[in-house]
Amino acid sequence: DIQLHLEFRIPESGSGNSGIKFHTRYEVQILDSFGKRNKAKGQAGAVYLQHAPLVNACRKAGEWQAYDIVFTAPKLKDGKVVEPARITTFLNGVCVQNNTAIMGPTLHKKATNWDGNFPAKASLRFQDHKNEPPVRLRNIWVRPLP
């Protein structure tokens, strides 16, 4: 269970596509979503392809933006999930996910679930789709939660 703060900037070209992967499995999307009216499950603030953000709180490409995220790891018994991971996300100070239950690992165009074994702890990773110019990150800090 952690609290994460980071700031990111999508290039002005709008070509940025990135993400934050909790436990290397559950992705929060970083994408140029400024001005988009639909609440797509792939836009910034989404739990990738699972939960659209409650509201679009994105700034224009080229401006620095901030994520403040509380991630609660899944509860396990003998490596099996007995309670799903949860996430609360603030994008630019606006709540876009509120204690949202994650449905399983975020997968590209595949169904997900909690079948299989899961680790009690795993890495935090930043995704890079090798866009040019790249998405920039700064002021990253993480603190464990009891």
Side-chain angles (χ1 to χ4, degrees):
D1 300 348
I2 63 168
Q3 178 183 357
L4 167 73
H5 172 85
L6 73 78
E7 296 169 13
F8 67 93
R9 187 180 67 184
I10 303 290
E12 288 185 40
S13 65
S15 64
N17 182 355
S18 186
I20 306 158
K21 290 199 168 195
F22 295 87
H23 275 210
T24 70
R25 291 172 171 79
Y26 321 110
E27 182 183 348
V28 172
Q29 182 76 349
I30 295 175
L31 192 69
D32 179 19
S33 300
F34 177 76
K36 301 219 169 44
R37 291 180 168 231
N38 65 343
K39 292 197 285 182
K41 294 177 183 176
Q43 78 181 40
V47 176
Y48 182 66
L49 298 182
Q50 292 186 18
H51 298 284
L54 298 171
V55 66
N56 185 338
C58 289
R59 296 180 180 145
K60 292 179 184 177
E63 294 182 23
W64 283 100
Q65 306 192 57
Y67 265 137
D68 289 287
I69 301 172
V70 173
F71 172 78
T72 304
K75 305 298 180 247
L76 308 173
K77 182 174 183 178
D78 301 323
K80 303 287 185 189
V81 173
V82 294
E83 189 175 322
R86 295 188 167 274
I87 198 157
T88 297
T89 305
F90 288 84
L91 174 56
N92 299 322
V94 177
C95 184
V96 296
Q97 298 289 337
N98 185 14
N99 197 34
T100 302
I102 297 173
M103 299 186 296
T106 51
L107 305 171
H108 182 67
K109 297 184 180 180
K110 294 181 185 175
T112 191
N113 59 50
W114 290 106
D115 292 345
N117 289 317
F118 290 82
K121 292 184 179 183
S123 299
L124 174 71
R125 295 185 181 197
F126 301 109
Q127 186 180 54
D128 177 20
H129 284 291
K130 302 198 183 321
N131 297 108
E132 287 297 328
V135 172
R136 299 286 184 203
L137 304 176
R138 71 178 186 188
N139 295 331
I140 302 167
W141 57 262
V142 177
R143 78 178 181 107
L145 296 173

